[in-house]
Amino acid sequence: MTNPIRIALAGNPNTGKTTLFNALTGLRQHTGNWAGKTVSLAEGNVQFKGKTYHFIDLPGTYSLFSNSTDEEVARNYIVFERPDVTLVVLDATSLERNFNLALQILEMTRNVIVCINLIDEAEKKGIKINERLLTNRLGVPVIKLSARNKVGFDLLLDTIERIVNGAIECNPTQMTYSDEIEEQIKKIEPYIREMVGDRLSSRWVSLRLLDGDERLLDEIKNRLQLEEVKKTNEYRTAIL
Ligand SMILES: Nc1nc2c(ncn2[C@@H]2O[C@H](COP(=O)(O)OP(=O)(O)OP(=O)(O)O)[C@@H](O)[C@H]2O)c(=O)[nH]1
Ligand SMILES: [Mg+2]
């Protein structure tokens, strides 16, 4: 049997990930209107055009550093388990705040779909969202959804299928940082790339290293069995 196609659902708390997961899979994971309900990973299958897609509902988080178990669980799934596609579910009524996490995910992994959920609420408030413009700016598909009303599902599943079969190529836009940080990335990234190869984004690991994210280095060391990665932190000052 071939490996199942895995689709991860990430996003801020309360953006409708579990509502979307339940509507697609027909399962009944708990949803509610307060933050932080999903603490473990719910998994379920969706059939589409003769293929099975395995969905994973990740905990909602505001960022994906090493601040909490939820953040680590979601981050580790995205970077180490390498789902075929990661859906970032955003709340259409507070896009500015939600984009923070979306941009972090675009630095971590390539195959991303930005799902703008609660579009029904946004329309009620007169908020207009130009998904074509966003798609161009972000370099990945952007889709409007109403998980509660099951709006946008066909386009979402079709887009997932087209990413998986290579018909759509994602090219996530990378944030540009200050000249000083970009200089440091330039120096450190070749070392990182040598170690991690194409298993992780070397630019993202460099950024996390510059931020002193020891817990991520531990995780890389354990999961990729890279003893030397811990040393990069000790040598960081020397390299820079
Ligand atoms: N109006 C509207 N409400 C929605 C929609 N999708 C989800 N909701 C509501 O938003 C609230 C949060 O939904 P959840 O699915 O629990 O959100 P979540 O992202 O899984 O939250 P965490 O597990 O805390 O990260 C619930 O009250 C849902 O009914 C939508 O498309 N439109
Ligand atoms: Mg949830």
Side-chain angles (χ1 to χ4, degrees):
M1 222 174 82
T2 53
N3 288 335
I5 301 162
R6 285 172 303 126
I7 315 296
L9 283 154
N12 286 6
N14 229 20
T15 55
K17 295 176 296 300
T18 305
T19 305
L20 179 62
F21 174 89
N22 285 346
L24 289 168
T25 60
L27 295 173
R28 281 172 171 271
Q29 288 298 317
H30 186 62
T31 63
N33 57 0
W34 69 95
K37 293 155 308 296
T38 308
V39 286
S40 59
L41 305 189
E43 307 195 23
N45 288 336
V46 178
Q47 305 294 332
F48 183 68
K49 293 193 184 165
K51 286 206 185 99
T52 303
Y53 296 85
H54 190 69
F55 278 69
I56 302 99
D57 186 21
L58 299 175
T61 60
Y62 292 105
S63 64
L64 288 167
F65 303 131
S66 298
N67 297 323
S68 68
T69 310
D70 280 359
E71 290 193 18
E72 290 191 329
V73 166
R75 178 205 67 201
N76 289 347
Y77 194 88
I78 295 168
V79 298
F80 297 112
E81 304 298 329
R82 309 200 338 161
D84 295 277
V85 181
T86 300
L87 309 184
V88 190
V89 183
L90 312 187
D91 177 346
T93 66
S94 48
L95 274 190
E96 203 173 323
R97 188 179 64 164
N98 280 228
F99 268 129
N100 189 348
L101 185 81
L103 292 172
Q104 285 179 36
I105 292 178
L106 293 179
E107 288 183 327
M108 292 160 58
T109 182
R110 201 172 177 82
N111 287 349
V112 176
I113 300 176
V114 172
C115 300
I116 303 192
N117 191 33
L118 290 105
I119 201 71
D120 54 311
E121 283 294 324
E123 275 162 12
K124 268 188 225 157
K125 292 185 176 170
I127 300 169
K128 292 205 170 65
I129 294 162
N130 184 339
E131 71 267 47
R132 289 226 179 111
L133 184 66
L134 285 172
T135 297
N136 285 338
R137 294 259 169 97
L138 298 176
V140 301
V142 176
I143 294 175
K144 290 187 200 170
L145 295 176
S146 172
R148 188 187 268 180
N149 302 315
K150 303 191 177 185
V151 171
F153 287 11
D154 281 349
L155 179 60
L156 174 62
L157 291 170
D158 202 59
T159 306
I160 291 173
E161 191 209 7
R162 300 212 296 147
I163 290 177
V164 171
N165 72 21
I168 294 178
E169 198 180 325
C170 295
N171 194 7
T173 302
Q174 300 296 295
M175 291 273 290
T176 306
Y177 293 88
S178 66
D179 290 350
E180 192 194 350
I181 292 176
E182 289 295 337
E183 265 313 301
Q184 294 185 337
I185 295 171
K186 226 182 260 170
K187 286 185 192 158
I188 214 164
E189 199 182 347
Y191 292 89
I192 303 286
R193 192 178 300 125
E194 219 168 277
M195 273 185 282
V196 303
D198 60 2
R199 290 175 289 182
L200 299 173
S201 156
S202 51
R203 182 179 166 86
W204 175 73
V205 176
S206 305
L207 278 162
R208 302 309 312 133
L209 181 61
L210 291 173
D211 205 26
D213 192 339
E214 282 273 354
R215 289 182 64 92
L216 175 68
L217 291 182
D218 281 336
E219 206 69 44
I220 295 176
K221 175 179 156 249
N222 295 335
R223 295 204 183 223
L224 306 187
Q225 282 160 7
L226 286 175
E227 289 301 327
E228 67 270 33
V229 79
K230 284 295 283 178
K231 291 195 197 121
T232 53
N233 207 27
E234 288 159 30
Y235 295 152
R236 181 165 56 134
T237 345
I239 294 168
L240 299 176

